Amino acid sequence: MSKETTNQSRRQFLGNASTVAALSIAPGVMLSQVAQAKPNDQEVNDSVRWGLLIDTNKCAKDCTACITACSDEHGLDNSTHSDRPDNAKIDAQWIRKVTIRDTETSHVTTLPLMCQHCENPPCVDVCPTGASFKREDGIVLVDKHICIGCRYCMMACPYKARSFVHEDLHNQKPDTPRGKGTVESCNLCVVRVDNDRQPACVEACADEAEGAIIFGDLKNPNSEISRQLAQHGGTRIRADLGLNPGVRYQGI
Ligand code: SF4
Ligand code: SF4
């Protein structure tokens, strides 16, 4: 999984009313509640909106615990089975570390970036088949059975959060069926969430690192994520685009 450094200004990355340039990113809080996801006997509905809150102050530059956990959870590391003649590693882009530098203060921030599970997702708007869709609880997904691989959604996503599966796939995980010739992105570990579990990256960060990521219901004022947001605030990356991401950041 790639870790990239961008030289773009922090202001451009975060966006503001006067910044209309496209996002040019190419490729804390200790977890105090364990079970914040959906009990498996509860239907998916819009009474909740799942989201993530990432405290960048707790995200060490060289830590890749979340990336490794995501890769393990979803069987994304296909490198040893690549069908490419040069056996080149083909990385999925479900989550990656991005480093931004404030051009005014030179302050450097490292943060994990995944699908932002937008409330108004352009990837869904442009999908000609309905393969890209948003669940009532805010999780944005791709139905690989309907995806025709046109990649319109990849072009529409301002966060460059989606990737295309070029290679043959082997040893897939039963909970994350992938498809050659289709597009994919972070699914917020939907199978875990539907079974009252935390996303893999959240769990790994709490267990192996500083507990920089909180998962929870943004609509529930009593959830840990809502309390932290109410207390310390949170930043939406490229808020100026009006997509209202479900992933929020602190420390930027
Ligand atoms: S971040 Fe990109 S892929 Fe995810 S919902 Fe928003 S537009 Fe779609
Ligand atoms: S929520 Fe799950 S799929 Fe999304 S980045 Fe975290 S581990 Fe990966």
Side-chain angles (χ1 to χ4, degrees):
M1 197 70 58
S2 63
K3 183 193 293 184
E4 297 173 13
T5 300
T6 68
N7 288 325
Q8 70 190 90
S9 73
R10 175 175 171 274
R11 187 173 300 144
Q12 182 190 7
F13 184 71
L14 299 178
N16 56 37
S18 61
T19 305
V20 292
L23 188 70
S24 60
I25 43 173
V29 180
M30 281 303 292
L31 198 63
S32 60
Q33 295 179 356
V34 174
Q36 297 178 22
K38 184 180 81 60
N40 55 16
D41 58 352
Q42 181 182 305
E43 284 189 359
V44 174
N45 62 62
D46 64 2
S47 66
V48 302
R49 184 183 179 200
W50 299 120
L52 298 171
L53 175 60
I54 300 169
D55 185 346
T56 62
N57 293 314
K58 294 187 173 182
C59 185
K61 186 172 178 288
D62 297 325
C63 178
T64 55
C66 57
I67 295 172
T68 302
C70 182
S71 181
D72 291 347
E73 177 75 14
H74 302 291
L76 303 182
D77 186 352
N78 205 41
S79 58
T80 56
H81 303 286
S82 173
D83 58 342
R84 284 169 54 138
D86 57 357
N87 204 32
K89 185 170 181 175
I90 304 170
D91 286 333
Q93 290 282 319
W94 288 36
I95 178 172
R96 64 193 194 277
K97 291 288 282 287
V98 172
T99 300
I100 57 174
R101 188 179 63 232
D102 190 318
T103 51
E104 290 172 8
T105 66
S106 295
H107 180 69
V108 172
T109 308
T110 303
L111 52 86
L113 191 76
M114 67 286 278
C115 170
Q116 302 287 290
H117 298 280
C118 307
E119 183 180 11
N120 309 306
C123 57
V124 173
D125 291 342
V126 301
C127 179
T129 67
S132 284
F133 67 102
K134 186 181 70 166
R135 295 204 325 181
E136 287 189 66
D137 57 6
I139 300 179
V140 177
L141 299 170
V142 180
D143 183 340
K144 76 179 181 64
H145 299 291
I146 308 175
C147 177
I148 56 173
C150 68
R151 289 167 263 188
Y152 288 172
C153 61
M154 287 176 64
M155 289 183 272
C157 174
Y159 303 99
K160 298 198 181 341
R162 293 197 156 183
S163 47
F164 184 76
V165 182
H166 291 273
E167 71 276 28
D168 287 334
L169 298 167
H170 306 269
N171 301 326
Q172 295 198 53
K173 302 281 183 177
D175 285 346
T176 309
R178 305 173 66 207
K180 184 178 181 179
T182 67
V183 173
E184 58 186 18
S185 54
C186 159
N187 64 8
L188 210 56
C189 289
V190 64
V191 173
R192 280 175 166 253
V193 171
D194 283 347
N195 287 283
D196 206 10
R197 296 177 65 200
Q198 300 273 318
C201 57
V202 179
E203 217 171 73
C205 188
D207 291 348
E208 302 165 33
E210 298 297 322
I213 315 176
I214 296 177
F215 166 81
D217 179 9
L218 294 165
K219 285 186 176 176
N220 178 356
N222 297 315
S223 66
E224 179 68 6
I225 191 171
S226 294
R227 285 207 299 266
Q228 290 297 334
L229 281 166
Q231 211 174 341
H232 303 292
T235 301
R236 296 168 176 84
I237 291 176
R238 291 303 309 266
D240 55 310
L241 297 175
L243 306 180
N244 191 17
V247 181
R248 312 285 167 79
Y249 293 85
Q250 290 175 331
I252 57 174

